[in-house]
Amino acid sequence: MISLVKNEWMKIFSKVSTYIFIAFLLLAALGAAVIDYKLSAGESGKDWKQELKADIQEQQKALEATDISDDEKAEIMADIDLNKQLLADNINPDLNTNWTYMAEWTTTLTSFVTLFVVIVCSSLVSSEFSDGTIKQLLIRPYKRWKILLSKYITSLLFAALLLASLLIFSYLIGIIFFGNGSYSDKIMDPASFGEFSPVVVGEYFVDMIVYWIPGFLVITTIAFMLSTLFKNQALAVGISIFILFASSTLNMVIQSFIGKYEWLKFVLFPHLDLRGYISGTMEMFDGATLGFSMGVLGIYYLIFLALTFFFFQKKDITN
């Protein structure tokens, strides 16, 4: 099995596209850091506490205006309460470190990891058919399921490599641009939209990655399954990418009808992104729980994996 995995690993790294994917992650992390640095220019040298106190004084003066509407008054009072809470909890709203950069940007850049892994996984088996090398592969003294399992293990290892590369690139680039901050620094939840929702930046970042992995694993398995179902590499890759990009739209459509049709809770797409459970600020359907979503993902994962091996065992190899 190890020799089979090594062989598949060598095949992946014999392609120029593999190095392009890794280089793109490096450039994406660098570009995000440059944008963040430009947006935060001049904020790092400020005395944030004095800035907040000055803002509170200005906001309190604004409340004394005679021509202020009730809606404007309520908004200003909410801002005052938020600033006071930030001061009381010693939370710098302008904090910029490698951890804040990763919490805001790296968690978004994982979408590129998903895209690149889908492209590779959806071509692992279909490319053997397209290139006409599937017969040479199957005449080797290994059972079909072992050959397929080696490809699946390789796809997971490649996914882990891309994710690790993104995390390492982001961490080092974050230190270069913003300095090495504290894992335990408190920040406002990036998805809180102005509400007072403090989180520990390091824990938040780790949670965002950990909660992203189950959905990522299911999408990877779907792409790998399609690779075994279609002999045409372009078709397998195309359908996989379509499902990837359509999943968010399908999720919104399904969530809008879940209240009317209970069975939609068991459809895959609303459960692919578990990050909504981290702070409750991301939209999830009513009654959704982490355990339920994990269970749904687990069932679909086993079904996709079983179908993959079943159809590959039965597949006609003749051209």
Side-chain angles (χ1 to χ4, degrees):
M1 179 63 71
I2 295 178
S3 61
L4 287 173
V5 173
K6 286 183 178 179
N7 183 56
E8 295 300 328
W9 191 256
M10 290 174 61
K11 287 182 182 178
I12 288 179
F13 278 88
S14 66
K15 300 177 181 178
V16 178
S17 59
T18 299
Y19 301 95
I20 293 176
F21 294 156
I22 296 175
F24 185 91
L25 292 177
L26 173 60
L27 293 175
L30 181 61
V34 171
I35 294 173
D36 195 6
Y37 184 79
K38 293 291 185 181
L39 293 175
S40 62
E43 292 181 354
S44 58
K46 291 181 180 179
D47 186 338
W48 66 271
K49 290 185 177 181
Q50 291 300 323
E51 288 284 335
L52 282 183
K53 290 177 182 178
D55 288 343
I56 292 173
Q57 290 178 350
E58 292 180 4
Q59 290 162 343
Q60 288 174 337
K61 289 180 181 180
L63 287 175
E64 298 173 359
T66 57
D67 58 343
I68 187 173
S69 66
D70 290 339
D71 289 339
E72 291 174 329
K73 186 175 182 179
E75 185 177 345
I76 293 174
M77 291 178 67
D79 289 338
I80 291 175
D81 289 339
L82 176 60
N83 288 337
K84 286 182 177 180
Q85 287 176 312
L86 291 173
L87 285 171
D89 284 55
N90 197 34
I91 300 175
N92 180 2
D94 298 325
L95 182 67
N96 232 7
T97 68
N98 60 321
W99 286 107
T100 62
Y101 155 71
M102 290 191 294
E104 293 183 19
W105 291 92
T106 305
T107 52
T108 302
L109 295 178
T110 53
S111 58
F112 289 116
V113 174
T114 305
L115 174 61
F116 298 153
V117 171
V118 163
I119 292 174
V120 171
C121 287
S122 57
S123 64
L124 275 178
V125 180
S126 59
S127 62
E128 300 282 3
F129 287 98
S130 296
D131 298 338
T133 57
I134 187 65
K135 285 186 177 180
Q136 289 85 347
L137 183 65
L138 296 182
I139 61 174
R140 302 177 67 181
Y142 295 102
K143 294 183 178 180
R144 280 196 182 191
W145 68 266
K146 284 189 175 182
I147 294 174
L148 188 61
L149 181 60
S150 69
K151 285 181 174 291
Y152 184 66
I153 292 174
T154 304
S155 69
L156 297 183
L157 291 175
F158 181 70
L161 173 66
L162 288 190
L163 178 59
S165 299
L166 176 62
L167 298 182
I168 293 171
F169 293 155
S170 298
Y171 183 77
L172 296 178
I173 290 173
I175 291 176
I176 294 172
F177 277 84
F178 310 108
N180 191 13
S182 173
Y183 178 92
S184 58
D185 281 335
K186 285 187 177 182
I187 62 169
M188 296 297 293
D189 187 338
S192 62
F193 301 108
E195 296 181 5
F196 185 73
S197 180
V199 293
V200 176
V201 63
E203 293 177 359
Y204 175 83
F205 171 71
V206 172
D207 285 346
M208 288 290 283
I209 297 298
V210 170
Y211 279 61
W212 165 79
I213 288 176
F216 169 62
L217 180 60
V218 171
I219 292 175
T220 298
T221 305
I222 291 174
F224 187 75
M225 178 184 69
L226 293 174
S227 180
T228 64
L229 295 179
F230 298 102
K231 294 183 178 181
N232 187 293
Q233 179 181 352
L235 183 61
V237 173
I239 294 177
S240 298
I241 293 177
F242 172 78
I243 292 175
L244 174 62
F245 283 101
S247 61
S248 58
T249 302
L250 291 173
N251 177 30
M252 290 188 293
V253 173
I254 291 171
Q255 290 213 36
S256 64
F257 286 98
I258 278 182
K260 187 175 181 180
Y261 304 101
E262 287 289 321
W263 60 269
L264 288 175
K265 292 182 179 180
F266 299 97
V267 177
L268 173 64
F269 298 104
H271 305 278
L272 283 175
D273 193 349
L274 301 178
R275 291 176 292 185
Y277 292 110
I278 293 176
S279 59
T281 52
M282 295 183 185
E283 184 178 356
M284 300 295 291
F285 60 86
D286 291 338
T289 64
L290 178 60
F292 178 71
S293 292
M294 286 291 293
V296 171
L297 287 177
I299 292 172
Y300 275 101
Y301 173 77
L302 293 176
I303 291 174
F304 293 145
L305 209 56
L307 289 175
T308 300
F309 281 85
F310 174 79
F311 281 111
F312 189 72
Q313 287 286 108
K314 301 294 182 181
K315 203 172 188 66
D316 182 12
I317 306 301
T318 57
N319 292 326

